[in-house]
Amino acid sequence: MPRVLQEQFSEVRLYSIAGRTLSLSTAEEWSTRLVESFLGGFYYRKLDDAHADITCPIRILRGHPPAIPTGFRSFEMEQGAFYTNGEEYHLVFDDSRVVVSGPARPRVDIWIGDGPVARHPVALVNVMSAALQFALHRCGLSQLHAAGVVEPASGAGLLIVGDSNSGKSSLTVRLARAGWSYLSDDLLLLHEHETNIAARALRRTFSVSAGSIAGCELPRLEEALGSPVNSDPEKRRLDPTVVFPGGFVESCQPKVVIFPRIAHEERTRIEGLTMSDALLRFLKVSPWASFDADGSSYLRLIERLVRQTRAYIVHAGRDLLDDVTLAPRLFADLIND
């Protein structure tokens, strides 16, 4: 880093995950606190080694972001928009910006607006989440909105892939209650591990609604429940280490993938997917990767995951939520089939 630019930063902190190292440089005390608070909710390990080999630097900068280059294609995101030429990304969130350099020299730069909209807790989470997701992608890691659990008898991993309110947390709680080990209820990292694709835990806490835990009779529940989730006040943070002591595992080898959907029917139906159908569903989870110059690495990873797993759509009926013993039995049968 050039000396003139280095002097802008008051703190440079290193964090590692899955063998990769990220550096986060901040120029102000509030942005340093933001980094510590945000990353504290995830399984990043803080490093003290100043000589670590940095895979991708992330910088929170002062001033105004650069103009979006002409000729970049634009695409809508849930929280904003992004512009790309296939190499570089500009992600726009109201008054904030994330700029992701090309894969040849990976770097992520963040500018956060000064106004109340940009400094709202939900807006800050959106910006930091996007920045970390793209930084991890540049490191060969793919973030996946999915729950991960491990069936106790076989030790095989089950991934539950879906959008918010698709039932990931409800199913994870029921499986963990039945003695399955857990990685996360919502956010995983996929990466190459020896000859297979491994899933790795990313977020520390669960995010649960009253319906997610209804009828589960979880021990020490009041102690485990924390503050409401900023982006969805109807949900609260849940510390799974309190209600499921000894149940956490850092990673697993997935054998089965399910895509749940709320069916509004009495009985649950399970529908097998072909490898091509499963691949298409994974691509819908991270459509931006298709436009990236480094997207081929994501495609190879997902193709390998699809080949090593069996995939199903689970049309979740009322029986799956009413009977807390049903999910463990159904999914153990899928794994051991």
Side-chain angles (χ1 to χ4, degrees):
M1 184 183 304
R3 178 176 176 79
V4 174
L5 187 56
Q6 176 121 23
E7 291 174 350
Q8 293 186 22
F9 301 109
S10 59
E11 294 281 350
V12 179
R13 297 172 182 253
L14 304 181
Y15 295 85
S16 71
I17 192 166
R20 279 72 165 181
T21 300
L22 307 175
S23 68
L24 285 101
S25 302
T26 54
E28 298 167 303
E29 184 179 348
W30 79 266
S31 56
T32 300
R33 293 197 304 268
L34 172 64
V35 166
E36 291 182 336
S37 174
F38 182 79
L39 291 185
F42 299 87
Y43 288 106
Y44 293 96
R45 184 166 61 91
K46 191 174 180 180
L47 300 178
D48 296 323
D49 183 6
H51 302 289
D53 186 12
I54 297 171
T55 315
C56 184
I58 302 171
R59 310 183 302 182
I60 301 181
L61 298 159
R62 291 178 290 199
H64 298 285
I68 297 171
T70 58
F72 275 40
R73 295 171 292 168
S74 63
F75 302 90
E76 291 186 0
M77 297 188 305
E78 186 175 351
Q79 301 89 7
F82 72 86
Y83 300 79
T84 183
N85 63 353
E87 293 275 345
E88 180 179 312
Y89 282 96
H90 288 243
L91 291 83
V92 179
F93 304 87
D94 297 311
D95 295 332
S96 299
R97 180 87 61 84
V98 175
V99 176
V100 184
S101 66
R105 299 184 64 183
R107 189 182 71 219
V108 176
D109 289 337
I110 305 168
W111 288 263
I112 297 176
D114 294 325
V117 173
R119 298 296 175 100
H120 189 278
V122 175
L124 292 174
V125 167
N126 289 338
V127 170
M128 293 299 295
S129 296
L132 266 294
Q133 179 176 0
F134 277 81
L136 292 170
H137 179 62
R138 286 289 183 255
C139 297
L141 305 172
S142 292
Q143 185 172 300
L144 182 66
H145 277 287
V149 289
V150 176
E151 199 268 329
S154 64
L158 169 73
L159 304 188
I160 308 170
V161 184
D163 297 326
S164 297
N165 300 314
S166 62
K168 297 191 302 296
S169 296
S170 298
L171 294 175
T172 305
V173 167
R174 283 156 174 74
L175 294 169
R177 177 188 177 275
W180 293 46
S181 300
Y182 67 86
L183 288 77
S184 171
D185 75 324
D186 182 67
L187 209 53
L188 301 172
L189 278 181
L190 299 178
H191 63 99
E192 295 179 324
H193 178 72
E194 297 177 351
T195 60
N196 291 318
I197 301 302
R200 190 181 190 91
L202 188 54
R203 197 178 71 183
R204 291 181 181 273
T205 59
F206 287 10
S207 176
V208 299
S209 64
S212 301
I213 56 178
C216 291
E217 300 181 0
L218 301 176
R220 303 169 62 191
L221 178 59
E222 287 305 315
E223 180 184 346
L225 285 173
S227 59
V229 177
N230 289 326
S231 59
D232 189 349
E234 293 186 359
K235 294 183 179 181
R236 293 176 66 181
R237 294 177 177 85
L238 175 80
D239 184 348
T241 64
V242 174
V243 291
F244 310 120
F248 172 72
V249 292
E250 185 176 67
S251 64
C252 73
Q253 301 291 323
K255 183 177 180 181
V256 168
V257 176
I258 64 171
F259 297 89
R261 59 177 297 272
I262 306 300
H264 302 293
E265 300 173 1
E266 289 297 328
R267 296 183 63 82
T268 296
R269 296 181 292 109
I270 298 178
E271 175 187 351
L273 289 172
T274 64
M275 287 194 295
S276 59
D277 287 339
L279 182 60
L280 287 174
R281 287 179 175 272
F282 274 115
L283 291 178
K284 290 179 181 178
V285 175
S286 296
W288 55 267
S290 302
F291 308 116
D292 188 31
D294 201 30
S296 59
S297 63
Y298 174 77
L299 292 177
R300 287 195 303 271
L301 186 149
I302 293 301
E303 286 175 351
R304 289 184 60 190
L305 177 65
V306 168
R307 291 184 183 278
Q308 81 178 46
T309 58
R310 298 191 304 274
Y312 303 87
I313 300 176
V314 174
H315 304 273
R318 294 183 183 89
D319 57 342
L320 197 60
L321 298 180
D322 293 341
D323 182 358
V324 297
T325 70
L326 181 57
R329 289 187 278 115
L330 283 179
F331 301 149
D333 287 344
L334 291 182
I335 285 177
N336 296 307
D337 185 10

